[in-house]
C-alpha cells in the first residue's frame, strides 16, 4: 500500500501513520523527494484494509499496489528514479556508458584501459576483481590488489568505478573501494547478498539472471529496496534461449517493458548479451534506441590475450567509435551521453 500524505503534513501525523503500519506487522518506507511525503506499507500483510489508513489525520490518499514488487513498481513511484553517480546522473536525460575490461589483470592493463575509455567518452570504469567463472581453474580475479588498481584508475581519470561482488563476505572490502556494486547474473537470486547490499547506500548494478524473468529481476531489486537502498540500476545482459549463434539472446524487449513496470534506471550489456565483439556496436545502438539509460561494455587493449571474455571485448578504437554512434542516437531521441 502507498499512503500519500497531504502537502505540509505534520511530522507527528507522519509518525502516527508509521506507528499504525508497524502495528499491522508491515514495514514503513518513507519517501520524501520534496513533494508530498509518500509512505509505503510493505510486507506480508495484504489482508490489511485501506480504511486502516484513510481516516488518519494528514493522509491525502491510499493506493493499493497490486504488483508483488512494491517499492520497485511504477504505481508506487511514478516518476523515474534519477541519481547522481559522481560523473553525471543516471535515469534522467543523460545516458551513461560504463566501460572497461571484464577482469582487472594488472596495474598497467587497467590504467591503460581507463585512460583509453575516458578519452573515448566513457562515464564510468568497470573491472572485475572477483570473477564468477564456469571453471574453478580459470582466472578468478586479483581480489583486493585489483581494487587498489581500480582506485588508482579512478584517481587518474575521475571516473567512478564499478566492480562485481560475489558474496557478502566481500561487502566491507568492496564498499571501501567501489562506487557501484555489480551483482552478476549468477547471483541475481542470492537473496542473502541482495539483503546485504540493501543495507548499504552504495549504488548497485543488478544484472538479470541467465534464465530469470523480468518479474524475477524486479523481485530481486525489491530485496535491495526493502533494505532502504534506492540506488539500483537494472541491467539486461542477455538470456538463455534455444539460439546458439550468439552466447546469449539480447532481450531488447526487456528495456521498454522494464521502463514501463519500474522507475529504476535500465542498462544493457551488449558484450555479455551477444558474446561477440562484432555484434556489440549494433546491439549497443539498439539499446539506446529502445530507451536504455545506459550501457556497460567490455573493452580490452589486447582482446586476444584477455584473461576473460576476450572474444566479446572491444579494442579501445572500436569503443571510441561506439561512443560516437551512441551519442548520435541519443541526440535523435533527445538525450545525451553523460560527460
Ligand atoms: C561480467 O560483467 O563480467 C559478468 C560476469 O557479467 P554477467 O554476470 O552478466 O555474466
Ligand atoms: Mn565478462
Amino acid at each position: 500500500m502507498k499512503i500519500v500524505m497531504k502537502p505540509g503534513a505534520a511530522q507527528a501525523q507522519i509518525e502516527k501513520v508509521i506507528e499504525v503500519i508497524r502495528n499491522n506487522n508491515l514495514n514503513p518506507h518513507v519517501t520524501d523527494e520534496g513533494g508530498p511525503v509518500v509512505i509505503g506499507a510493505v510486507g506480508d500483510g495484504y489482508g490489511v484494509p485501506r480504511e486502516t489508513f484513510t481516516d488518519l489525520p494528514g493522509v491525502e490518499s491510499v493506493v493499493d499496489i497490486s504488483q508483488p514488487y512494491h517499492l520497485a513498481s511504477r504505481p508506487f513511484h511514478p516518476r523515474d528514479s534519477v541519481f547522481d553517480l559522481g560523473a553525471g546522473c543516471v535515469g534522467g536525460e543523460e545516458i551513461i556508458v560504463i566501460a572497461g575490461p571484464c577482469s582487472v589483470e594488472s596495474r598497467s592493463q587497467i590504467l591503460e584501459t581507463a585512460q583509453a575509455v575516458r578519452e573515448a567518452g566513457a562515464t564510468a570504469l568497470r573491472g572485475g576483481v572477483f570473477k564468477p567463472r564456469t571453471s574453478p581453474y580459470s582466472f578468478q580475479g586479483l581480489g583486493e590488489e585489483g581494487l587498489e588498481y581500480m582506485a588508482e584508475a579512478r584517481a587518474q581519470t575521475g571516473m567512478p568505478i564499478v566492480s562485481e561482488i560475489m558474496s557478502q563476505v566481500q561487502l566491507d572490502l568492496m564498499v571501501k573501494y567501489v562506487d557501484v556494486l555489480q551483482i552478476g547474473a549468477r547471483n541475481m537470486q542470492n537473496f542473502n547478498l541482495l539483503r546485504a547490499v540493501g543495507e548499504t547506500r552504495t549504488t548497485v548494478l543488478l544484472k538479470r539472471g541467465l534464465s530469470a524473468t523480468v518479474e524475477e529481476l524486479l523481485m530481486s531489486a525489491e530485496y535491495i529496496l526493502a533494505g532502504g537502498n534506492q540506488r539500483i540500476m537494472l541491467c539486461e545482459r542477455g538470456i538463455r534461449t534455444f539460439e546458439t549463434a550468439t552466447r546469449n539472446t539480447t532481450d531488447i524487449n526487456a528495456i521498454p517493458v522494464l521502463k514501463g513496470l519500474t522507475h529504476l534506471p535500465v542498462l544493457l550489456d551488449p558484450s555479455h548479451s551477444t558474446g561477440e565483439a562484432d555484434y556489440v556496436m549494433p546491439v549497443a545502438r539498439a539499446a539506446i534506441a529502445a530507451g536504455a539509460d545506459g550501457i556497460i561494455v567490455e573493452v580490452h587493449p589486447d582482446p586476444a590475450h584477455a584473461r576473460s571474455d576476450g572474444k566479446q571485448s572491444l579494442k579501445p578504437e572500436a569503443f571510441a567509435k561506439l561512443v560516437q554512434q551512441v551519442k548520435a542516437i541519443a541526440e535523435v531521441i533527445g538525450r545525451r551521453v553523460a560527460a
Side-chain angles (χ1 to χ4, degrees):
M1 234 172 303
K2 164 178 160 178
I3 298 145
V4 184
M5 301 302 291
K6 290 187 172 137
Q11 190 56 34
Q13 295 174 328
I14 295 169
E15 277 161 22
K16 181 68 194 169
V17 171
I18 292 172
E19 186 191 319
V20 176
I21 290 172
R22 291 216 170 97
N23 289 345
N24 282 279
N25 293 321
L26 296 171
N27 294 311
H29 284 268
V30 181
T31 319
D32 185 358
E33 293 177 342
V37 170
V38 173
I39 310 174
V42 300
D44 191 13
Y46 288 104
V48 181
R50 293 171 71 249
E51 291 67 36
T52 314
F53 303 100
T54 40
D55 293 337
L56 292 176
V59 171
E60 175 82 43
S61 62
V62 179
V63 185
D64 276 317
I65 307 280
S66 55
Q67 285 81 351
Y69 45 89
H70 190 116
L71 302 171
S73 75
R74 273 282 178 202
F76 180 71
H77 191 292
R79 279 187 299 137
D80 288 335
S81 280
V82 181
F83 44 84
D84 194 357
L85 286 180
C89 289
V90 66
E93 230 171 73
E94 288 181 320
I95 282 167
I96 61 157
V97 177
I98 305 171
C102 179
S103 312
V104 179
E105 298 168 3
S106 68
R107 180 172 175 271
S108 61
Q109 173 247 16
I110 191 66
L111 294 183
E112 182 189 332
T113 312
Q115 286 295 350
V117 300
R118 181 79 200 107
E119 276 163 32
T123 318
L125 178 69
R126 66 153 287 152
V129 302
F130 296 111
K131 296 304 301 176
R133 304 304 299 278
T134 303
S135 165
Y137 310 119
S138 301
F139 177 57
Q140 305 284 310
L142 294 182
E144 184 165 10
E145 182 190 348
L147 290 171
E148 280 166 10
Y149 301 150
M150 286 289 278
E152 195 176 342
R154 170 176 51 202
Q156 284 190 7
T157 62
M159 285 187 292
I161 56 177
V162 182
S163 198
E164 177 167 353
I165 176 167
M166 283 178 61
S167 152
Q168 57 273 52
V169 171
Q170 297 153 353
L171 190 63
D172 289 345
L173 177 71
M174 292 295 285
V175 296
K176 202 168 93 190
Y177 284 96
V178 308
D179 302 287
V180 180
L181 292 164
Q182 176 175 326
I183 295 192
R186 290 151 196 83
N187 268 312
M188 189 204 82
Q189 286 190 318
N190 181 339
F191 300 117
N192 291 323
L193 180 61
L194 298 174
R195 280 205 192 280
V197 301
E199 294 302 318
T200 75
R201 295 299 175 263
T202 305
T203 304
V204 178
L205 174 66
L206 177 63
K207 296 184 112 186
R208 181 178 181 179
L210 281 71
S211 304
T213 64
V214 161
E215 181 165 309
E216 285 164 342
L217 172 61
L218 290 169
M219 291 308 295
S220 291
E222 188 77 9
Y223 265 87
I224 301 169
L225 289 165
N229 188 351
Q230 299 174 2
R231 300 174 61 92
I232 306 166
M233 304 184 275
L234 303 172
C235 183
E236 163 63 35
R237 47 77 72 205
I239 50 173
R240 286 222 166 142
T241 68
F242 54 80
E243 183 55 74
T244 54
T246 49
R247 181 177 178 182
N248 290 296
T249 298
T250 308
D251 183 7
I252 280 286
N253 298 1
I255 298 169
V257 169
L258 283 165
K259 292 298 290 181
L261 296 174
T262 182
H263 51 92
L264 298 170
V266 178
L267 273 55
L268 184 108
D269 175 344
S271 307
H272 291 87
S273 81
T274 63
E276 184 82 44
D278 283 350
Y279 308 143
V280 170
M281 183 143 31
V283 173
R285 292 193 300 251
I288 304 307
D293 297 298
I295 48 173
I296 174 165
V297 180
E298 288 186 337
V299 180
H300 195 286
D302 182 9
H305 295 99
R307 298 191 74 182
S308 60
D309 287 348
K311 193 162 164 265
Q312 66 195 34
S313 297
L314 296 183
K315 288 188 179 161
E317 311 82 69
F319 173 70
K321 215 177 197 179
L322 178 150
V323 175
Q324 288 315 311
Q325 298 198 356
V326 161
K327 280 183 175 169
I329 292 181
E331 208 178 303
V332 172
I333 55 170
R335 302 182 76 174
R336 62 180 187 281
V337 173

